[in-house]
């Protein structure tokens, strides 16, 4: 299929409608078969559950063109599983995980012309989401839901390379103890909007959130997990019940152990330890790993010398290996790469 006439190198990281999206509806206790549609609009009751009580969750992943010309999606089964966990926590019906992966395949295949070519630095971002669609005025779960998947081509997250970012320790909490921090609920992101805009107004790129119970342990940012590297090359990632289980982080942990032979610790990380790490990065779907150069803590600065001008050596190896797997340069573990027929 001929590609769309798009300036792939300069499209930025934003929304561009594509030709098709997938829609399925839940009613009377069951999901319908769902179908592709060209209609990008949604019509809802003014009293829809999603509008009144924020009953919604979502996922995010990407489709890539590999060097040999295949279109692939990275570990969509894990996104399906994570959305199922989100739905259960929000009293929403689980969209079957196998049907989830099938929907991803259908949408990407239907929008093949929008999948950026290999070497462009761009990808096709995929957004599955679900919301309560019928009228709910009492505080209770909706009885009808809609599951949708849309795609949009996006440019490289960093147009000029992965420049180190500066973050601040936030005075706000991202999630409550025993709350919804470990699921991908829209309400979590609504809570993070004011702190992230406040951080931007103060000249910072992101927030570091500490644990909401004691505010002594590192959690995550508004949309990414932390990865630290010790001075002797050990990879450390924070562990907490209120951290979203990042698929990128889990993949990087595997890569560190099995491909690079590094020692990895997934454990509670005290904020007091951060100053002693050699490297720091944020990991997620959008950029894979963003190097952190500096953390600002109420007048005190923690700098990571190896990350002030570029990625540190260990984080660079992790980035190169995982992106090599995604792009087909490096053989992937079984089941990681879903080829779109």
């Amino acid at each position: 299929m001929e590609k769309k006439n798009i300036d792939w190198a300069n499209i930025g990281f934003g929304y561009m409608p594509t030709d098709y999206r997938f829609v399925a509806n839940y009613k009377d206790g069951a999901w319908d078969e769902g179908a592709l549609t060209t209609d990008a609009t949604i019509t809802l009751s003014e009293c829809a559950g999603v509008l009144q009580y924020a009953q919604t969750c979502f996922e995010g992943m990407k489709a890539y063109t590999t060097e040999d010309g295949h279109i692939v999606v990275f570990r969509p089964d894990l996104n399906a599983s994570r959305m199922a966990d989100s739905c259960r926590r929000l009293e929403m019906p689980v969209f079957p995980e196998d049907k989830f992966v099938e929907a991803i395949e259908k949408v990407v295949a239907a929008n093949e012309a929008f999948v950026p070519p290999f070497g462009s630095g761009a990808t096709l971002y995929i957004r599955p989401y679900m919301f309560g669609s019928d009228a709910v005025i009492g505080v209770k779960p909706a009885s009808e839901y809609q599951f949708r998947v849309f795609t949009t081509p996006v440019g490289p997250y960093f147009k000029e390379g992965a420049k180190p970012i500066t973050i601040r320790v936030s005075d706000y909490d991202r999630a409550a103890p025993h709350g919804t921090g470990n699921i991908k609920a829209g309400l979590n992101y609504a809570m993070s909007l004011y702190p992230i805009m406040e951080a931007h107004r103060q000249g910072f790129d992101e927030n570091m959130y500490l644990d909401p119970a004691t505010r002594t342990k590192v959690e995550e940012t508004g949309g990414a997990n932390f990865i630290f590297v010790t001075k002797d090359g050990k990879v450390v990632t924070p562990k907490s019940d209120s951290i979203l289980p990042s698929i990128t982080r889990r993949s990087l942990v595997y890569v560190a152990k099995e491909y690079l032979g590094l020692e990895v610790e997934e454990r509670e990380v005290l904020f007091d330890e951060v100053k002693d790490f050699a490297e720091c990065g944020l990991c997620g779907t959008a950029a894979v790993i963003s190097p952190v150069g500096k953390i600002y803590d109420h007048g005190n600065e923690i700098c990571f010398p190896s990350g002030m001008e570029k990625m540190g050596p260990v984080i660079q190896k992790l980035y190169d290996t995982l992106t090599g797997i995604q792009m087909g340069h490096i053989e992937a573990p079984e089941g990681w790469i879903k080829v779109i027929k």
Side-chain angles (χ1 to χ4, degrees), residues 266-278:
E266 298 178 72
R267 60 171 175 80
E268 291 185 342
V269 175
L270 293 173
F271 179 69
D272 285 346
E273 295 180 69
V274 172
K275 65 183 184 300
D276 298 321
F277 290 122

Side-chain angles (χ1 to χ4, degrees), residues 106-281:
K106 288 178 180 177
V107 173
V108 174
N111 292 301
E112 179 184 350
F114 287 92
V115 181
F118 175 79
S120 64
T123 55
L124 187 74
Y125 187 82
I126 308 163
R127 172 54 59 86
Y129 60 111
M130 188 192 301
F131 54 88
S133 55
D134 64 327
V136 180
I137 195 63
V139 181
K140 62 180 181 179
S143 59
E144 297 179 11
Y145 296 85
Q146 191 166 101
F147 169 80
R148 298 177 70 101
V149 183
F150 71 79
T151 59
T152 184
V154 294
Y157 198 75
F158 295 107
K159 287 188 176 181
E160 300 176 359
K163 290 187 174 181
I165 63 174
T166 300
I167 64 179
R168 66 165 189 175
V169 177
S170 179
D171 291 326
Y172 297 94
D173 292 328
R174 172 186 161 270
H178 314 295
T180 57
N182 63 333
I183 65 169
K184 206 165 176 68
L187 58 92
N188 293 341
Y189 294 81
M191 290 172 63
S192 72
L193 293 178
Y194 180 81
I196 188 62
M197 294 309 295
E198 186 182 67
H200 290 168
R201 286 188 285 267
Q202 294 177 7
F204 301 100
D205 298 295
E206 256 292 4
N207 289 297
M208 170 184 277
Y209 291 104
L210 303 180
D211 73 291
T214 70
R215 297 191 59 77
T216 61
K217 291 170 279 192
V218 177
E219 293 265 284
E220 60 167 281
T221 69
N225 282 188
F226 280 99
I227 284 186
F228 299 104
V229 180
T230 64
K231 292 174 181 176
D232 59 356
K234 184 186 302 179
V235 175
V236 179
T237 66
K239 186 176 182 179
S240 165
D241 290 338
S242 53
I243 290 177
L244 182 73
S246 163
I247 293 163
T248 303
R249 178 187 57 78
R250 283 181 275 175
S251 302
L252 287 167
V253 164
Y254 184 92
V255 163
K257 292 177 181 177
E258 304 300 330
Y259 281 68
L260 301 178
L262 299 173
E263 186 177 350
V264 179
E265 289 183 353
E266 298 178 72
R267 60 171 175 80
E268 291 185 342
V269 175
L270 293 173
F271 179 69
D272 285 346
E273 295 180 69
V274 172
K275 65 183 184 300
D276 298 321
F277 290 122
E279 300 176 43
C280 176

